[in-house]
Amino acid sequence: MIEISTSILNVAEQNAMKTFYDLEVAKTDYYHIDVMDGKFVEKNTSDLMYSYASSIKQMSNLPLDVHLMVSDIKEYVDKYIPLSPHFITIHYEACKNKQEVKEILEYIKKNNIMCGLSIKPGTKVEEIYEFLPNLSLFLVMTVEPGKGGQKLIPQTIEKISKLKKYLYENNLETYIEADGGINIENVNILKEVGADILVVGSCIINSADYKKTIQELKKY
Ligand code: DX5
Ligand code: ZN
């Protein structure tokens, strides 16, 4: 069964706690925390996301799925380790070289957190094959990172199916996560190509009934 990681990027501050509570009742599988630093991407959500993640940690046992869209990766990894997220995902494009990718992934794992690596729509999936044996999660961005509410870029679907095939042929068990522009209309294609976890923001947060929307997204 596909899992849903709800992006809380666009949750309004006035009723944030109620929204987090409602999402738990609606059975989101994870809270997806979109950390942006104003450098790797234009927007800066750093303080808000840290305060949201800390609040969630106090009120819920559901796992945190932290997506770091930042340049100073190590600094942010250290900031999030004390919150014991289920996943910490870093961006391949934010690393200086492949050695740095390896070192940071190792560092996350050493702290007993599942490590994830993400690529932007323009990066070829083949570039990251060598990291897969050491990865728990591979996050395929289906929009350009930087903001919620964008349209899914159709060409990214093909990357997921290529990756799925590669994982199968090489007996690897990395989860595939897709992130950006996912909604009721395009969810089936993502299931068909083999995504395991779907990050969904606007489609859930802008809906009147979170539970119904999550059920609808999960339904086959
Ligand atoms: C984009 C973020 C996504 C995004 C998801 O940079 O990584 O998590 O906010 O939101 P929607 O579903 O609105 O595209
Ligand atoms: Zn994200």
Side-chain angles (χ1 to χ4, degrees):
M1 169 91 124
I2 200 130
E3 292 191 301
I4 301 293
S5 186
T6 306
S7 166
I8 57 160
L9 179 63
N10 288 328
V11 167
E13 277 183 77
Q14 312 86 272
N15 48 4
M17 291 305 274
K18 179 171 185 322
T19 306
F20 302 151
Y21 174 76
D22 290 346
L23 286 170
E24 170 150 18
V25 173
K27 294 202 159 47
T28 184
D29 295 291
Y30 306 86
Y31 294 99
H32 183 83
I33 315 293
D34 281 312
V35 185
M36 304 180 186
D37 64 350
K39 278 199 219 166
F40 181 69
V41 292
E42 226 177 284
K43 235 175 145 171
N44 190 328
T45 64
S46 175
D47 291 344
L48 185 66
M49 288 302 121
Y50 187 71
S51 112
Y52 279 3
S54 309
S55 305
I56 291 170
K57 202 65 204 170
Q58 285 172 27
M59 53 149 296
S60 171
N61 287 322
L62 289 185
L64 298 181
D65 168 28
V66 175
H67 177 194
L68 296 180
M69 286 163 275
V70 303
S71 295
D72 301 319
I73 308 173
K74 177 77 171 25
E75 177 192 324
Y76 282 88
V77 169
D78 282 333
K79 190 169 166 180
Y80 276 90
I81 286 172
L83 296 181
S84 315
H86 191 77
F87 298 115
I88 294 185
T89 298
I90 64 165
H91 261 272
Y92 174 69
E93 300 86 358
C95 296
K96 285 187 230 33
N97 49 46
K98 294 201 169 191
Q99 186 56 29
E100 192 185 23
V101 180
K102 280 202 190 93
E103 281 169 15
I104 299 177
L105 293 175
E106 272 311 308
Y107 181 70
I108 296 172
K109 277 213 288 204
K110 239 182 42 212
N111 282 281
N112 296 317
I113 295 167
M114 301 227 221
C115 62
L117 186 62
S118 178
I119 52 169
K120 299 208 263 187
T123 305
K124 285 201 170 66
V125 74
E126 289 85 349
E127 281 207 44
I128 57 83
Y129 281 172
E130 67 187 273
F131 304 108
L132 290 172
N134 298 308
L135 272 183
S136 298
L137 179 84
F138 187 71
L139 195 176
V140 178
M141 285 306 295
T142 41
V143 298
E144 282 300 334
K147 55 175 188 245
Q150 305 180 72
K151 261 186 91 145
L152 182 140
I153 301 170
Q155 290 82 347
T156 57
I157 304 282
E158 153 113 42
K159 282 159 83 170
I160 300 174
S161 75
K162 209 185 238 181
L163 179 67
K164 191 74 179 178
K165 190 162 167 265
Y166 183 87
L167 291 174
Y168 179 75
E169 286 170 355
N170 291 276
N171 247 315
L172 293 164
E173 288 189 346
T174 314
Y175 292 115
I176 302 179
E177 182 172 55
D179 182 4
I182 301 171
N183 56 37
I184 311 282
E185 283 75 52
N186 60 25
V187 70
N188 280 337
I189 181 77
L190 289 155
K191 290 175 186 164
E192 277 162 28
V193 292
D196 303 293
I197 306 174
L198 304 178
V199 177
V200 184
S202 338
C203 170
I204 295 173
I205 300 301
N206 297 341
S207 72
D209 184 338
Y210 298 163
K211 190 167 190 172
K212 215 173 115 205
T213 309
I214 291 176
Q215 272 172 0
E216 193 77 11
L217 287 162
K218 284 189 165 186
K219 170 170 101 193
Y220 260 93

